[in-house]
Amino acid sequence: MTRIVCVGITVLDRIWYLDDLPKEGGKYVAKDYTEVGGGPAATAAVAAAKLGAEVDFIGRVGDDDTGRRLLAELESLGVNTRYTRVVKGARSSQSAVLVDASGERVIANYPSADLPMTADWLKEIDFSQWDSVLADVRWHEGAKQAFTLARQQGVPTVLDADVTPQDIAELVALSDHAAFSAPGLKRLTRIDNPLDALKKAQTLTNGHVYVTQGREGCYWLEKGELCHQPGYAVEVVDTTGAGDVFHGALALSLAQQMPSSEAVRFASAVAALKCTKPGGRAGIPDCDQTRSFLSLFV
């Protein structure tokens, strides 16, 4: 069985469904509401587990009701939380998510200031036990420490390179595969054109670089050549977590030594199917569902 560890944040997503996203101040009435665990690395871990991997999540939560709920949900979805640190007296992280009728969303994340950023304690963990290490950029020190330890053991590293206040150049340099969101790539390179920005990002690492473009699909560089996987057309209900799910599926595929083109194709299908149901996790397919979906496009 493929073994993966996902390092980063887990948050409680409080999701409101509206007809339209607010464009000005005022009062709005939601059509529906739900609460579900979220966070880039945590949701990537759920995706990898749903796809059949043996998965660990390494992160930090408070010892509050939210933290206990987040860990219980991960465990119920097949993700091992044995290495996650519970911080005494701390509040856990949360997000407010607004989703419109077309599935587009706005997220306001509160990364709890109570959770220590330090990651020296990761040195106590044997990273050689995993086939790949995925990290998000929301816990910078955790990603840096995890990737450093993984590379010492010859374990491939996959970076979920989204927007964050910190400069992620050193994380990109430590990545064997850096998969950017379009905003994350623009923030790093200061280049508007995503394809030119991708070439700039390639100069920061000896690994592979990718950028996801929503419905337009995913672009990446293969031996200096630009490659493209178009997005799959589905009936979109909610795009929350689509990028996180893509990264989890990509990390699994790469750990199984799929060629980049096959890994991106598989991850794109998993992310597309996720968007057909509300929330960041409910629509995550298993391998059989994904292969059945892909068979429609042969």
Side-chain angles (χ1 to χ4, degrees), residues 10 22 57 79 113 117 163 171 177 191 195 211 217-218 228 231 247 251 265 268 275 293 296-297:
T10 181
F57 171 74
V79 177
M117 296 298 292
V163 174
L171 301 183
H177 302 271
I191 297 174
L195 305 185
V211 60
C218 179
H228 179 227
H247 292 111
R265 180 172 181 263
S268 298
C275 293
F293 176 75
L296 302 175
F297 300 91

Side-chain angles (χ1 to χ4, degrees), residues 46 59 94 127 160 178 222 234 237 247 250-251 283:
V46 172
Q94 303 187 38
F127 276 76
D160 176 348
E222 192 81 39
V234 294
V237 173
H247 292 111
L250 183 68

Side-chain angles (χ1 to χ4, degrees), residues 16-297:
W16 287 264
Y17 294 93
L18 309 172
D19 288 324
D20 299 292
L21 295 176
K23 297 179 175 61
E24 59 184 19
K27 296 182 179 180
Y28 300 86
V29 177
K31 299 186 298 182
D32 200 0
Y33 170 80
T34 189
E35 295 181 1
V36 65
T43 299
V46 172
K50 186 69 178 289
L51 293 165
E54 182 178 326
V55 186
D56 285 278
F57 171 74
I58 300 177
R60 305 146 300 141
V61 297
D63 64 348
D64 55 359
D65 288 342
T66 298
R68 289 187 286 273
R69 179 175 174 180
L70 290 170
L71 295 186
E73 182 178 325
L74 286 171
E75 290 282 352
S76 73
L77 293 170
V79 177
N80 196 316
T81 61
R82 56 184 167 162
Y83 296 120
T84 294
R85 177 155 289 190
V86 179
V87 182
K88 187 175 181 180
R91 295 169 297 172
S92 299
S93 299
Q94 303 187 38
S95 290
V97 185
L98 303 182
V99 182
D100 71 11
S102 67
E104 291 301 324
R105 81 285 188 266
V106 172
I107 301 176
N109 173 243
Y110 172 68
S112 176
D114 298 342
L115 304 177
M117 296 298 292
T118 55
D120 288 347
W121 53 277
L122 269 60
K123 295 177 182 178
E124 303 169 7
I125 301 172
D126 177 15
F127 276 76
S128 69
Q129 64 186 291
W130 293 296
D131 298 308
S132 71
V133 176
L134 179 147
D136 66 41
V137 295
R138 306 294 177 80
W139 180 25
H140 189 101
E141 292 305 318
K144 181 180 178 181
Q145 188 68 262
F147 279 7
T148 299
L149 295 168
R151 289 171 73 86
Q152 290 172 358
Q153 299 293 338
V155 179
T157 55
V158 180
L159 182 67
D160 176 348
D162 202 358
V163 174
T164 186
Q166 293 172 287
D167 183 354
I168 64 171
E170 65 177 347
L171 301 183
V172 174
L174 287 169
S175 304
D176 294 303
H177 302 271
F180 293 87
S181 66
L185 181 60
K186 181 178 179 179
R187 181 176 179 83
L188 173 69
T189 63
R190 308 298 181 185
I191 297 174
D192 290 331
N193 184 292
L195 305 185
D196 291 337
L198 197 62
K199 294 175 183 178
K200 174 65 175 179
Q202 183 67 85
T203 66
L204 302 177
T205 177
N206 292 324
H208 300 268
V209 291
Y210 314 73
V211 60
T212 54
Q213 293 281 97
R215 290 183 175 87
E216 294 180 27
C218 179
Y219 292 87
W220 73 100
L221 295 177
E222 192 81 39
K223 297 180 180 179
E225 295 295 320
L226 182 67
C227 304
H228 179 227
Q229 169 62 51
Y232 291 102
V234 294
E235 186 174 340
V236 174
V237 173
D238 187 353
T239 59
T240 304
D244 309 334
V245 169
F246 175 92
H247 292 111
L250 183 68
L252 171 65
S253 302
L254 294 171
Q256 295 173 339
Q257 300 184 344
M258 286 188 191
S260 294
S261 58
E262 292 182 25
V264 172
R265 180 172 181 263
F266 182 80
S268 298
V270 173
L273 288 170
K274 183 241 78 72
C275 293
T276 62
K277 293 185 179 180
R281 297 175 178 175
I284 299 173
D286 60 24
C287 274
D288 289 341
Q289 291 170 318
T290 305
R291 293 191 185 102
S292 178
F293 176 75
L294 284 171
S295 69
L296 302 175
F297 300 91

